[in-house]
Amino acid sequence: MSDDKQQTGSPDRDRINVNEDYEVQYWTRTLGVSREALEAAVKAVGPTAEAVRTHLRR
């Protein structure tokens, strides 16, 4: 599924797409991590923001 920027909503905001630079910039700033740490977390637990937050707290 492509990232349709016209259809925003909770499902889109709750997922982290590491293939979009603007999303990586937002999430690295919001979570206070590097791009590499963000990508590793998404790879480990999937793209949901809550799962990534939980993983990074460990």
Side-chain angles (χ1 to χ4, degrees), residues 3-16:
D3 191 14
D4 185 353
K5 293 169 185 62
Q6 299 298 318
Q7 295 183 357
T8 59
S10 184
D12 193 41
R13 280 179 259 171
D14 294 340
R15 297 187 161 282
I16 300 170

Side-chain angles (χ1 to χ4, degrees), residues 1 4-7 10 13 16 18 20 23 30 32 35-36 38-40 45 47-51 53 57:
M1 176 186 257
D4 185 353
K5 293 169 185 62
Q6 299 298 318
Q7 295 183 357
S10 184
R13 280 179 259 171
I16 300 170
V18 295
E20 293 285 350
E23 285 198 33
T30 299
R35 180 184 192 109
E36 293 77 20
L38 179 66
E39 289 174 347
V45 298
T48 60
E50 191 56 39
R53 281 187 180 101
R57 283 187 207 126

Side-chain angles (χ1 to χ4, degrees), residues 2-3 9 17 22 25 28 30 35 48 51 55 58:
S2 65
D3 191 14
N17 183 349
Y22 71 94
Q25 289 173 359
T28 55
T30 299
R35 180 184 192 109
T48 60
H55 178 78
R58 294 184 194 161

